[in-house]
Amino acid sequence: MIATGGAPNSHILENHSLLGRSNSAQGQQNSETRTCSWAQHKVNKLHLKLRGPDSALMKAAKHNDTKLISYIIDRHPTSLQLCLKQKNRNPAIQAAVHGKTEALQLLINYGALPDTVLASESYEKGEGNLPRLFVRSGRHSSYSPADFTSKIMKVLLENNDTNVNSVNCIQDFTGSMYMTPTELVNSQVGAKNRGVISELLASDPRTRVNTKIGFEYSGPFKSSFHIKFPPEFSFYKKTGERKIPVSLIGQAILLNNPHLALTLLDRPDLDPGKPDGTVENLLIIFFNKLAKGLFYNLGDPLRKKMIASEEFRRQILNCDSLLAKRRFILLLSMDFKSRNIQHIEELIWLNRDELNTRIRHELSQYDIRESVEREV
């Protein structure tokens, strides 16, 4: 079962004048009357006569028939209420799924909500009553924003009212996961446009990049991917909790999305020390990928972010995990160009205080203006 961050507000449509075109919609329609072939337009008009305006509006959106879209909305304004519906019974979603940018923009001009197209509320139940977001085969049967073209996503992102940080509740085994659109797109591993769409989302200055999810290791989030995760026992979890907290940059690396990871590392506001409780798992995930020969190109920019993050340094010094401290020391001393993880044997014999002393020593080799926090 999927719940969403909130139902669309019908008053948004009511605030638009549907009895006559707005100037923007009129101009949009005039410049795009030839976006649908004459023959297809005739078929669509016949569909209007036989099946009614609601069905015809769906068909017009699918075929980019902007002329018919305006015709229907002008004469049957209540048909635009379809754009409030979930799943694929929504003209705006139909336009987006089929890559029809002109039809999508025209519907938005008339009052369709970009958030409804971008949200996860279209995901239906799949195998074993699981959301299609996490079916066992690792592929989704309903549409995903990760399948949109870059032009479609740009139409959505260019709208000032689009909420790029809307939180969607996704059922994961016995609990729930709360995911932003960027996290949702990243989770669609098999989608053809996942990389470029997640890159567009992460590049939007409105997108919050210091987010996290909490997933259950035995749940569909993990079992749906053909990606080998680190062992469950290696992940950090709060005492008494089942959820494994992973930051957005950790999710990008975990699910092999270099487009998203590099875009995030270019963001000046990315802090690998946030949200709280994700630091150890980021190190676990990154070293797991390095051991497989992956993501060495992220080494230098990720290390710079970690060193510059006061929150990251504080959590590493205050944590009880000796392994996390050892990994951070290794990361500070690594030459990523050599693509070789050098294990420092002496670290195995150092206790917590000695490892912290070593961390401070390694950090002192870098130009850090902020003082390194001492453990409490």
Side-chain angles (χ1 to χ4, degrees), residues 35-59:
T35 56
C36 180
S37 70
W38 179 85
Q40 184 63 59
H41 176 68
K42 297 294 286 185
V43 171
N44 294 344
K45 287 203 72 173
L46 179 61
H47 194 87
L48 170 62
K49 182 177 181 179
L50 297 176
R51 301 290 299 274
D54 286 5
S55 180
L57 183 59
M58 294 288 292
K59 195 172 185 67

Side-chain angles (χ1 to χ4, degrees), residues 14-247:
E14 294 169 2
N15 288 337
H16 287 74
S17 177
L18 300 181
L19 296 179
R21 298 187 190 93
S22 65
N23 290 335
S24 61
Q26 175 73 57
Q28 186 83 17
Q29 188 270 330
N30 285 341
S31 64
E32 292 158 356
T33 54
R34 292 189 296 274
T35 56
C36 180
S37 70
W38 179 85
Q40 184 63 59
H41 176 68
K42 297 294 286 185
V43 171
N44 294 344
K45 287 203 72 173
L46 179 61
H47 194 87
L48 170 62
K49 182 177 181 179
L50 297 176
R51 301 290 299 274
D54 286 5
S55 180
L57 183 59
M58 294 288 292
K59 195 172 185 67
K62 178 179 178 180
H63 292 286
N64 213 33
D65 193 343
T66 54
K67 184 176 181 179
L68 186 59
I69 289 173
S70 291
Y71 179 90
I72 293 171
I73 294 176
D74 284 345
R75 287 157 180 79
H76 307 278
T78 56
S79 291
L80 192 61
Q81 296 293 324
L82 285 174
C83 290
L84 294 176
K85 290 185 176 293
Q86 301 177 1
K87 304 179 182 177
N88 290 339
R89 185 65 180 168
N90 181 321
I93 289 176
Q94 281 293 308
V97 167
H98 291 91
K100 309 305 182 183
T101 55
E102 295 86 1
L104 176 60
Q105 184 63 68
L106 184 57
L107 287 165
I108 290 174
N109 288 347
Y110 271 119
L113 303 176
D115 287 356
T116 305
V117 181
L118 189 60
S120 70
E121 52 195 24
S122 61
Y123 290 104
E124 302 168 339
K125 291 182 180 179
E127 301 170 16
N129 212 33
L130 295 173
R132 292 195 190 278
L133 182 63
F134 304 127
V135 294
R136 296 295 181 187
S137 63
R139 299 181 63 187
H140 48 78
S141 300
S142 189
Y143 94 91
S144 163
D147 290 325
F148 291 167
T149 65
S150 58
K151 290 182 178 180
I152 288 292
M153 183 54 67
K154 287 176 182 177
V155 168
L156 297 173
L157 295 179
E158 286 168 1
N159 190 290
N160 292 331
D161 295 328
T162 301
N163 184 1
V164 294
N165 299 304
S166 58
V167 177
N168 302 281
C169 180
I170 309 297
Q171 191 69 24
D172 184 32
F173 203 49
T174 59
S176 298
M177 299 169 57
Y178 296 90
M179 306 176 76
T180 65
T182 308
E183 291 168 327
L184 281 166
V185 170
N186 180 57
S187 71
Q188 302 296 279
V189 173
K192 59 182 179 180
N193 294 330
R194 178 180 72 132
V196 66
I197 298 303
S198 59
E199 183 178 348
L200 285 171
L201 282 165
S203 298
D204 192 298
R206 297 169 297 177
T207 298
R208 293 196 298 266
V209 294
N210 297 312
T211 61
K212 70 175 179 179
I213 62 169
F215 73 93
E216 296 187 38
Y217 195 83
S218 58
F221 178 80
K222 186 264 178 183
S223 60
S224 292
F225 306 121
H226 300 296
I227 295 175
K228 190 171 181 60
F229 279 39
E232 181 178 10
F233 64 83
S234 66
F235 281 106
Y236 163 81
K237 290 180 286 188
K238 288 185 178 180
T239 303
E241 291 193 5
R242 296 167 54 93
K243 297 287 187 178
I244 298 173
V246 181
S247 63

Side-chain angles (χ1 to χ4, degrees), residues 303-361:
R303 175 167 56 194
K304 289 177 182 177
K305 288 284 188 181
M306 291 176 174
I307 292 171
S309 169
E310 182 177 353
E311 185 63 23
F312 188 95
R313 302 192 308 263
R314 182 191 66 79
Q315 289 187 54
I316 285 295
L317 289 169
N318 289 344
C319 77
D320 294 325
S321 172
L322 302 185
L323 182 58
K325 296 177 188 293
R326 294 187 196 118
R327 282 176 170 149
F328 186 51
I329 294 171
L330 289 175
L331 185 143
L332 290 173
S333 60
M334 280 185 66
D335 177 9
F336 290 101
K337 292 182 180 179
S338 68
R339 299 177 65 86
N340 184 29
I341 304 177
Q342 297 291 333
H343 296 282
I344 305 175
E345 297 297 330
E346 63 185 86
L347 296 180
I348 299 175
W349 310 107
L350 300 182
N351 60 30
R352 183 180 186 275
D353 291 337
E354 292 168 335
L355 286 169
N356 280 348
T357 299
R358 181 64 176 268
I359 289 172
R360 294 192 185 92
H361 172 74

